[in-house]
Amino acid sequence: QRYMLRSLIARLTSTILHHLHVPSHRRFLILYRGIDTSHPSFPLASSGVVLPRRRLLGHRNPDRHNRGDTLSVFTSWTTCKDTAIIHAGPRGVLLEKKIPQYRIYTTIDEWAEREALVKGAIYNAYVLPVTHGHHSPCTVQSKYLEKNAV
């Protein structure tokens, strides 16, 4: 039922944006992803590439992915750089990418990670140095993401 509701909301959002003459493919959000050295995709991530675990045959249910079944067409990202840094660990990789809104899916954020799921592969993500310490709070983009959940 959630999937059907989310699909309806996506169609309505697309219709509204069409009438406002703002193509949805031109709306972007900057997202972050932290990859620890123990993660199987660490070598690819080190070159700015992120691939879903199952690009073709994976499930397409964002809620299921969020609950731990990551054999999907999604990868997990966050609007909060601090959260990505935590996931990167001390020697991991921090990625940053400006992603079109139509590729971003949200779900109930059970882990308070400000998670955004991105459908499909990502290439040419910026590989940033992992800097630990205090960073600015992550509120602005997260509120935008919650308000515009697909």
Side-chain angles (χ1 to χ4, degrees), residues 95-114:
L95 300 174
E96 177 185 277
K97 183 71 176 175
K98 189 175 176 181
I99 298 175
Q101 187 178 355
Y102 73 89
R103 292 185 61 189
I104 300 171
Y105 294 76
T106 58
T107 183
I108 296 169
D109 195 5
E110 294 180 36
W111 304 103
E113 296 176 315
R114 300 173 199 238

Side-chain angles (χ1 to χ4, degrees), residues 71-88:
L71 297 177
S72 72
V73 298
F74 302 107
T75 52
S76 299
W77 293 70
T78 179
T79 59
C80 183
K81 194 174 188 178
D82 279 345
T83 299
I85 288 171
I86 290 167
H87 284 280

Side-chain angles (χ1 to χ4, degrees), residues 18 21 23 37 46 76-77 113-114 119 147:
H18 174 74
H21 303 293
T37 54
S46 298
S76 299
W77 293 70
E113 296 176 315
R114 300 173 199 238
K119 187 175 180 182
K147 213 167 94 175

Side-chain angles (χ1 to χ4, degrees), residues 27-147:
R27 295 180 160 230
F28 294 89
L29 203 58
I30 295 174
L31 297 178
Y32 302 93
R33 180 172 167 87
I35 307 285
D36 186 78
T37 54
S38 64
H39 196 283
S41 67
F42 178 77
L44 281 175
S46 298
S47 62
V49 176
V50 179
L51 302 175
R53 292 196 174 171
R54 296 286 191 265
R55 288 191 310 192
L56 301 175
L57 301 175
H59 71 80
R60 289 165 167 70
N61 185 318
D63 293 321
R64 194 167 137 192
H65 181 101
N66 183 274
R67 287 192 305 270
D69 182 359
T70 57
L71 297 177
S72 72
V73 298
F74 302 107
T75 52
S76 299
W77 293 70
T78 179
T79 59
C80 183
K81 194 174 188 178
D82 279 345
T83 299
I85 288 171
I86 290 167
H87 284 280
R91 290 183 296 278
V93 173
L94 175 64
L95 300 174
E96 177 185 277
K97 183 71 176 175
K98 189 175 176 181
I99 298 175
Q101 187 178 355
Y102 73 89
R103 292 185 61 189
I104 300 171
Y105 294 76
T106 58
T107 183
I108 296 169
D109 195 5
E110 294 180 36
W111 304 103
E113 296 176 315
R114 300 173 199 238
E115 185 177 35
L117 301 179
V118 176
K119 187 175 180 182
I122 294 293
Y123 299 96
N124 301 316
Y126 293 110
V127 180
L128 305 173
V130 177
T131 56
H132 294 278
H134 181 69
H135 299 279
S136 59
C138 303
T139 54
V140 176
Q141 282 193 332
S142 296
K143 286 181 181 175
Y144 174 84
L145 193 61
E146 289 166 13
K147 213 167 94 175

